[in-house]
Amino acid sequence: MSYLKSLRTPGRHETTIKRQFGSRVRFEGTTPVFDKPLILMAFTNRCGSHLLADYLRQTGQLAGFGEYLNHDVVANQSAEHGYDSFPDYIAGLQARICLRGQALGLKGSYDQIAMLLRWNIGAMFPGVRVVHILREDALAQAVSLSIARQTEKWTSHQTGNGAAPTFQPKLIESILQSHEAANTMIGLLAQAAALPRMQISYEQVMHDPATYVRRLFGFCGVEAPDWVPRVPTVKKQADALNAEFAQAYRAQVLREAGINSL
């Protein structure tokens, strides 16, 4: 995969949103519109972003972190509220969901972050911070996504299509490669655009949400709340089948490498 080619090629969300708004996608102002920084949660699928977003919203200091950069959400919200440009959409989003001086949080894949940078959306805010959530166990993440793609059950709140997932090593390998590339491109974008970036892992959030959320607030320059984590609304979906598929893939790694089981 060519990182440079991937970064210069607009993703499907950018392509569709630009078709919706035409030339009215770039912020042309010279001064920020808001007085709080924009917090970008950079993610890959099944990395734990839903869990971290749940905890951040619990604090009452930050708002958002939904799929607000997806083209269908932009189209639906713009039709409902009459937004005529993408900067208007962002301004309307801030006005609707940020209360009591809350900072706005947006989730973004690497191509959605590239979209925001191309369209100068960060200039609407006095600063941009990138919170990059990853999963230390990349195999567990890939297995989880391979199951979700088959069942169409993306969160614990969904029922899915009822399909019984099967072990698909080629799909798992493709996801592993895709996630590695996406995380690299997130880092490259942040570094090239001089955006402060903090990495945080799903495992850290699971182990000690209070500590790591406080660290995240310090990084973002937002006052850390006096907050005790509540039980999140999102539930862990991994079960024995995830463990079975992961073990099957590890066994295949050893076979392909010509290594006897350890």
Side-chain angles (χ1 to χ4, degrees), residues 208-229:
D208 190 353
T211 294
Y212 286 100
V213 166
R214 279 196 297 270
R215 291 181 185 176
L216 188 153
F217 270 80
F219 163 76
C220 292
V222 177
E223 184 178 352
D226 182 13
W227 169 69
V228 177

Side-chain angles (χ1 to χ4, degrees), residues 188-249:
L188 286 172
L189 275 171
Q191 185 177 23
L195 298 180
R197 177 174 66 111
M198 174 182 172
Q199 290 187 349
I200 186 170
S201 74
Y202 165 76
E203 287 81 359
Q204 289 171 328
V205 176
M206 282 286 292
H207 174 69
D208 190 353
T211 294
Y212 286 100
V213 166
R214 279 196 297 270
R215 291 181 185 176
L216 188 153
F217 270 80
F219 163 76
C220 292
V222 177
E223 184 178 352
D226 182 13
W227 169 69
V228 177
R230 301 188 301 275
V231 175
T233 59
V234 63
K235 302 278 192 305
K236 185 177 180 180
Q237 290 182 256
D239 55 21
L241 187 62
N242 293 66
E244 177 186 327
F245 287 178
Q247 179 55 37
Y249 192 84

Side-chain angles (χ1 to χ4, degrees), residues 51-63 65 100 102 209 213 217 225-234:
L51 177 65
L52 179 57
D54 190 307
Y55 283 133
L56 293 177
R57 287 191 295 265
Q58 282 186 23
T59 68
Q61 299 287 87
L62 302 175
F65 299 108
R100 304 180 305 279
Q102 293 172 321
V213 166
F217 270 80
D226 182 13
W227 169 69
V228 177
R230 301 188 301 275
V231 175
T233 59
V234 63

Side-chain angles (χ1 to χ4, degrees), residues 139-162:
L139 176 57
Q141 179 184 3
V143 166
S144 177
L145 182 54
S146 75
I147 292 173
R149 285 185 178 176
Q150 295 178 67
T151 62
E152 298 181 351
K153 190 175 188 298
W154 299 99
T155 73
S156 58
H157 301 299
Q158 297 174 328
T159 57
N161 58 19

Side-chain angles (χ1 to χ4, degrees), residues 168-179:
Q168 297 187 17
K170 289 185 178 180
L171 176 58
I172 293 171
E173 179 179 1
S174 174
I175 292 169
L176 282 168
Q177 293 172 341
S178 175
H179 283 172

Side-chain angles (χ1 to χ4, degrees), residues 15-252:
T15 300
T16 307
I17 294 169
K18 194 170 191 307
R19 190 181 305 127
Q20 174 186 343
F21 289 125
S23 62
R24 303 179 305 280
V25 293
R26 182 178 172 82
F27 177 65
E28 302 292 356
T30 57
T31 57
V33 177
F34 310 112
D35 61 359
K36 298 286 184 181
L38 172 64
I39 313 302
L40 284 178
M41 184 186 295
F43 78 105
T44 54
N45 284 321
R46 315 302 283 187
C47 70
S49 60
H50 286 293
L51 177 65
L52 179 57
D54 190 307
Y55 283 133
L56 293 177
R57 287 191 295 265
Q58 282 186 23
T59 68
Q61 299 287 87
L62 302 175
F65 299 108
E67 307 291 342
Y68 298 117
L69 299 178
N70 287 359
H71 65 82
D72 54 336
V73 176
V74 174
N76 292 337
Q77 291 293 307
S78 297
E80 180 178 349
H81 298 283
Y83 303 131
D84 189 47
S85 71
F86 190 69
D88 284 347
Y89 169 76
I90 296 296
L93 190 64
Q94 168 93 15
R96 289 200 329 273
I97 69 175
C98 292
L99 307 174
R100 304 180 305 279
Q102 293 172 321
L104 177 64
L106 297 176
K107 282 178 59 177
S109 55
Y110 81 86
D111 54 322
Q112 289 172 321
I113 293 172
M115 173 185 77
L116 294 179
L117 293 173
R118 273 191 281 268
W119 294 349
N120 199 36
I121 298 303
M124 299 177 70
F125 301 83
V128 179
R129 298 288 186 272
V130 178
V131 175
H132 186 180
I133 181 164
L134 310 95
R135 195 150 170 184
E136 294 171 20
D137 191 339
L139 176 57
Q141 179 184 3
V143 166
S144 177
L145 182 54
S146 75
I147 292 173
R149 285 185 178 176
Q150 295 178 67
T151 62
E152 298 181 351
K153 190 175 188 298
W154 299 99
T155 73
S156 58
H157 301 299
Q158 297 174 328
T159 57
N161 58 19
T166 59
F167 174 59
Q168 297 187 17
K170 289 185 178 180
L171 176 58
I172 293 171
E173 179 179 1
S174 174
I175 292 169
L176 282 168
Q177 293 172 341
S178 175
H179 283 172
E180 181 180 12
N183 283 319
T184 297
M185 286 187 282
I186 288 168
L188 286 172
L189 275 171
Q191 185 177 23
L195 298 180
R197 177 174 66 111
M198 174 182 172
Q199 290 187 349
I200 186 170
S201 74
Y202 165 76
E203 287 81 359
Q204 289 171 328
V205 176
M206 282 286 292
H207 174 69
D208 190 353
T211 294
Y212 286 100
V213 166
R214 279 196 297 270
R215 291 181 185 176
L216 188 153
F217 270 80
F219 163 76
C220 292
V222 177
E223 184 178 352
D226 182 13
W227 169 69
V228 177
R230 301 188 301 275
V231 175
T233 59
V234 63
K235 302 278 192 305
K236 185 177 180 180
Q237 290 182 256
D239 55 21
L241 187 62
N242 293 66
E244 177 186 327
F245 287 178
Q247 179 55 37
Y249 192 84
R250 286 191 291 268
Q252 183 160 336

